[in-house]
């Protein structure tokens, strides 16, 4: 008699716990406003991406095509993966002095882990992280970028 | 590899390395007699990346980002451990504000990690919906991380001398909202999974781990605490001002699957309690002590232990005065927790293997490093 009681009790317990779980599911079925699912590729325009989100390294240029990078290579030394390569060139100033200048700021996006240590180390605050996150391309070569625009030069200190 | 005599009615099967229930690439070799497990043996190395060796080639500030890739669900806490070890070597202490931020982030990480575990446990036992409920709150935590740290999973936010950025202006508001929502939603966790008859049947009395076994195998964290072993590093060796906050070390002496389940849910409540105490009392001031560009530790050995979401993480750094560490060694919690699987599996049914692995909460990249 006792075992039969146990048997039916287990069945009742099973159904009641199933019912409890289904109650919750049903609650969300009739409260669609509580559902948080985002339809990602469709909501691209309204997508909220925080300002600090580390998407990729960029070298901002102002309207005169000038940037802040002096080519000191501190970011290159601080990068743990070797995803930054700074190529500098020697130029002669009008006074006749030889000076180092940024030639190419090469950024290997495929090697970058977005740790942000280059931005942290930069003494000029020349580079920063942009919010772009859709990086997929069909050719691996496109992941190697030159960040300084052609013809750009160092922003002079005086304004 | 040792070979074992297999009797005529015994057989060996491999679980993994790409088994869906393992959450990673762990290969388990099981000796079976029908449905009963006679013995088991884990095979490691499928996701070995050589993080310890890589750290020897990088500077002290640089190698910290690698530790986020060990236990990726406790990335903040791993970074914190390394930062604390380096700070020990430099004989500095992070500013008060940075310490509070670190504790807040660590507890948020613990919450996020336990929520993912809770959802994944449901998945392992065949219930899909808990996963979505767990991810609802976890998404809020990740959004808080994203706003303040810039990334969602591998933040590299905690650095020697403090934290990289100051808190986002919305941080306090969002954390308060999260806590409010989490407290209101915890009953759903019970409603959905805890009281469920399938979970009860598959966890109660299954996968028993005795306190002696837990100690001798080096288990830490929720796995050992569910067997009644006091091992919370936050209580035993407080770091970053954990001695100033009030919380309870949750213990359970049953040692079965349900004890581990219950303990993690209770630990989530304790994390909420810690966050509640700190969120209104974040001290003003500097959040970071600027270090030199190239950090050099004086020659010597430095060890720091912290409590991650899965147990005790120890960071051991040997320095010979150069700008790179001579040797870095991580004592990771999952490696020792994995050892608990063998005594638990002995004599159990093969169907219970998945629930035991799920409640151990193994992170395979942390085992292999």
């Amino acid at each position: 008699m006792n075992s039969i009681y146990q048997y039916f009790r287990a069945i009742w317990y099973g159904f009641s716990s199933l019912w409890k779980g289904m109650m919750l599911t049903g609650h969300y079925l009739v409260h669609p406003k509580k559902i948080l699912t985002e339809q990602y590729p469709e909501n691209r325009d309204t997508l909220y991406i925080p300002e600090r989100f580390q998407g990729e390294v960029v070298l901002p240029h102002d309207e005169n095509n000038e940037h802040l990078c002096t080519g000191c290579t501190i970011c290159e030394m601080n990068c743990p993966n070797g995803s930054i390569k700074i190529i500098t060139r020697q130029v002669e100033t009008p006074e006749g002095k030889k000076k180092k200048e940024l030639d190419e700021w090469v950024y290997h996006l495929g090697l970058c882990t977005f740790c942000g240590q280059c931005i942290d180390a930069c003494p000029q605050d020349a580079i920063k992280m942009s919010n772009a996150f859709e990086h997929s391309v069909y050719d691996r070569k496109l992941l190697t970028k030159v960040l300084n625009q052609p013809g750009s030069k160092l922003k002079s200190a005086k304004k | 590899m040792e070979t074992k005599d297999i009797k005529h009615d015994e057989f060996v099967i491999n679980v993994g390395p790409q088994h869906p229930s393992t959450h990673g690439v762990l290969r388990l070799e099981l000796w079976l007699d029908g449905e009963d497990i006679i013995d088991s043996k884990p095979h490691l190395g499928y996701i070995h990346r050589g993080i310890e060796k890589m750290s020897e080639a990088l500077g002290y500030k640089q190698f910290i980002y690698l530790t986020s890739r060990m236990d990726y669900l406790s990335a903040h806490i791993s970074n914190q451990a390394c930062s604390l070890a380096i700070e020990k070597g430099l004989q500095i202490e992070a500013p008060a504000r940075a310490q509070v931020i670190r504790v807040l982030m660590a507890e948020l990480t613990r919450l996020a990690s336990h929520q993912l575990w809770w959802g994944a446990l449901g998945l392992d036992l065949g219930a899909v919906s808990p996963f979505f409920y767990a991810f609802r709150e976890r998404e809020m935590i990740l959004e808080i991380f994203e706003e303040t740290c810039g990334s969602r999973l591998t933040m590299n936010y905690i650095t020697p001398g403090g934290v990289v950025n100051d808190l986002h202006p919305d941080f306090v508001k969002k954390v308060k909202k999260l806590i409010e929502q989490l407290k209101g939603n915890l009953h759903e966790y019970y409603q959905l999974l805890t009281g469920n008859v399938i979970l009860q049947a598959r966890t109660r009395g299954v996968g028993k781990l005795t306190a002696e076994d837990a100690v001798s195998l080096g288990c830490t964290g929720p796995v050992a605490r569910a067997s009644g072993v006091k091992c919370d590093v936050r209580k035993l060796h407080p770091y970053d001002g954990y001695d100033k906050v009030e919380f309870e070390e949750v213990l359970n002496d049953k040692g079965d699957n349900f004890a581990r389940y219950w303990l993690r849910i209770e630990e989530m409540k304790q994390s909420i309690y810690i966050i509640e105490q700190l969120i209104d009392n974040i001290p003003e001031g500097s959040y970071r002590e600027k270090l030199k560009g190239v950090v050099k530790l004086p020659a010597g050995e430095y060890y720091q232990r912290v409590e991650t979401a899965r147990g005790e993480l120890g960071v051991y750094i040997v320095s010979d005065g150069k700008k790179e560490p001579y040797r870095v060694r991580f004592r990771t919690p999952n490696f020792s927790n994995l050892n608990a699987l063998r005594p638990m599996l002995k004599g159990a049914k093969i169907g219970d293997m998945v629930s035991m692995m799920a409640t151990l909460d193994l992170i395979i990249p942390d085992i292999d490093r």
Side-chain angles (χ1 to χ4, degrees):
Chain A
M1 192 63 206
N2 197 28
S3 62
I4 294 171
Y5 169 70
Q6 290 284 335
Y7 177 75
F8 282 107
R9 195 168 161 259
I11 290 178
W12 166 248
Y13 181 46
F15 271 111
S16 68
S17 81
L18 181 73
W19 175 246
K20 261 187 203 167
M22 292 304 283
M23 283 270 282
L24 190 64
T25 314
H27 174 79
Y28 280 95
L29 185 71
V30 293
H31 291 83
K33 270 187 188 168
K34 278 189 169 182
I35 296 171
L36 303 165
T37 316
E38 286 185 25
Q39 303 293 332
Y40 159 58
E42 288 83 20
N43 72 347
R44 224 180 241 146
D45 304 328
T46 56
L47 204 61
Y48 169 63
I49 298 170
E51 185 193 348
R52 286 181 194 170
F53 177 72
Q54 296 170 338
E56 63 171 333
V57 178
V58 288
L59 183 68
H61 290 66
D62 65 359
E63 63 276 7
N64 303 327
N65 205 8
E66 287 175 336
H67 54 75
L68 287 167
C69 181
T70 55
C72 64
T73 71
I74 284 178
C75 50
E76 189 182 330
M77 285 187 283
N78 270 277
C79 180
N81 303 305
S83 51
I84 299 171
K85 179 81 190 140
I86 309 287
I87 301 167
T88 52
R89 62 178 172 223
Q90 296 281 348
V91 284
E92 271 192 43
T93 50
E95 294 95 60
K97 276 184 196 166
K98 280 198 172 165
K99 212 181 147 195
K100 220 163 68 169
E101 199 188 74
L102 179 75
D103 188 21
E104 273 185 350
W105 209 106
V106 184
Y107 174 48
H108 301 277
L109 182 58
L111 294 174
C112 186
T113 57
F114 314 107
C115 63
Q117 291 186 55
C118 48
I119 282 97
D120 198 34
C122 183
Q124 310 289 329
D125 290 332
I127 44 175
K128 63 172 195 174
M129 283 280 189
S130 83
N131 286 347
F133 63 96
E134 289 163 324
H135 292 312
S136 38
V137 283
Y138 282 105
D139 190 356
R140 197 200 284 182
K141 283 175 196 151
L142 298 174
L143 290 174
T144 300
K145 299 174 181 178
V146 177
L147 293 190
N148 55 326
Q149 290 163 10
S152 62
K153 55 179 192 283
L154 178 67
K155 197 179 202 170
S156 50
K158 56 181 186 284
K159 281 170 189 171
Chain B
M1 201 191 90
E2 60 175 294
T3 51
K4 235 183 169 181
D5 289 337
I6 298 172
K7 287 178 198 156
H8 71 282
D9 51 351
E10 294 177 2
F11 57 99
V12 182
I13 64 160
N14 281 304
V15 179
Q18 275 98 28
H19 192 269
S21 78
T22 57
H23 313 291
V25 278
L26 174 73
R27 180 180 148 216
L28 262 184
E29 206 175 313
L30 298 177
W31 277 274
L32 299 173
D33 178 10
E35 262 191 279
D36 299 317
I37 297 168
I38 300 165
D39 206 352
S40 69
K41 190 177 182 184
H43 289 264
L44 309 177
Y46 288 96
I47 192 162
H48 179 73
R49 291 146 297 169
I51 285 181
E52 288 174 8
K53 195 72 191 165
M54 275 158 87
S55 306
E56 291 169 19
L58 295 169
Y60 284 103
K61 273 180 176 175
Q62 284 175 308
F63 82 81
I64 292 174
Y65 91 100
L66 284 169
T67 57
S68 319
R69 272 87 182 162
M70 293 193 315
D71 187 350
Y72 47 81
L73 294 179
S74 314
H76 266 307
I77 311 179
S78 313
N79 294 351
Q80 192 184 9
C82 289
S83 302
L84 283 166
I86 294 166
E87 279 166 16
K88 233 181 211 177
L90 293 169
Q91 290 180 334
I92 55 166
E93 208 175 49
R97 184 176 171 86
Q99 288 193 5
V100 172
I101 294 175
R102 281 178 181 187
V103 172
L104 277 172
M105 288 295 178
E107 291 311 314
L108 284 173
T109 310
R110 203 181 309 279
L111 272 177
S113 167
H114 283 347
Q115 271 158 0
L116 184 95
W117 159 82
W118 183 81
L121 173 89
L123 273 187
D124 287 346
L125 301 183
V128 180
S129 33
F131 197 68
F132 301 108
Y133 288 88
F135 264 54
R136 178 184 50 189
E137 270 89 36
R138 186 167 179 269
E139 176 64 31
M140 285 179 79
I141 298 177
L142 292 192
E143 208 163 87
I144 291 167
F145 286 159
E146 200 180 359
E147 272 187 344
T148 297
C149 321
S151 328
R152 293 162 65 86
L153 205 61
T154 51
M155 297 87 165
N156 197 32
Y157 177 63
I158 296 172
T159 179
V163 291
V164 174
N165 282 320
D166 204 359
L167 290 177
H168 194 269
D170 286 348
F171 180 83
V172 175
K173 198 177 77 191
K174 285 218 167 176
V175 170
K176 276 183 182 166
K177 196 181 154 206
L178 165 87
I179 287 173
E180 206 175 295
Q181 189 176 334
L182 198 56
K183 275 178 152 180
N185 284 345
L186 265 179
H187 77 274
E188 290 184 353
Y189 287 40
Y190 291 109
Q191 197 180 344
L192 207 60
L193 204 55
T194 312
N196 189 279
V197 63
I198 298 170
L199 182 107
Q200 294 278 339
R202 292 189 69 176
T203 54
R204 271 202 200 270
V206 177
K208 278 215 166 135
L209 182 72
T210 57
E212 290 77 35
D213 274 349
V215 171
S216 63
L217 293 167
C219 297
T220 47
V223 176
R225 284 201 285 279
S227 299
V229 183
K230 274 194 177 183
C231 61
D232 198 329
V233 184
R234 293 175 291 172
K235 281 270 186 214
L236 299 173
H237 305 275
Y239 54 92
D240 267 349
Y242 266 114
D243 45 349
K244 288 171 205 152
V245 288
E246 218 180 276
F247 69 100
E248 195 191 319
E249 182 179 353
V250 193
L251 287 173
N252 195 323
D253 51 2
K254 290 221 175 67
D256 61 351
N257 275 349
F258 191 76
R260 288 188 279 277
Y261 174 88
W262 174 87
L263 192 121
R264 286 206 177 89
I265 300 265
E266 290 297 310
E267 236 176 44
M268 274 158 67
K269 289 182 191 163
Q270 292 301 324
S271 287
I272 295 172
Y273 183 46
I274 295 176
I275 294 169
E276 273 179 332
Q277 289 172 50
L278 289 175
I279 193 66
D280 285 324
N281 305 315
I282 305 174
E284 292 296 316
S286 138
Y287 59 89
R288 187 179 189 182
E289 202 168 304
K290 270 276 177 195
L291 301 180
K292 280 183 197 161
V294 178
V295 176
K296 280 183 189 171
L297 294 199
E301 299 172 0
Y302 309 101
Y303 186 70
Q304 176 67 43
R305 51 207 292 206
V306 298
E307 179 83 14
T308 72
R310 273 159 210 82
E312 179 189 324
L313 169 74
V315 178
Y316 176 62
I317 297 176
V318 183
S319 165
D320 54 355
K322 293 200 184 107
K323 61 177 180 172
E324 295 106 8
Y326 177 75
R327 176 82 169 95
V328 180
R329 158 95 187 135
F330 300 111
R331 179 252 181 261
T332 52
N334 287 300
F335 185 80
S336 359
N337 286 355
L338 173 72
N339 293 334
L341 204 58
R342 194 168 175 231
M344 277 157 64
L345 281 178
K346 224 168 226 176
K349 297 265 187 262
I350 189 167
D352 291 331
M353 183 206 68
V354 171
S355 67
M356 287 175 202
M357 282 181 79
T359 50
L360 278 182
D361 195 12
L362 298 172
I363 297 283
I364 314 299
D366 195 35
I367 296 171
D368 277 345
R369 302 194 282 289

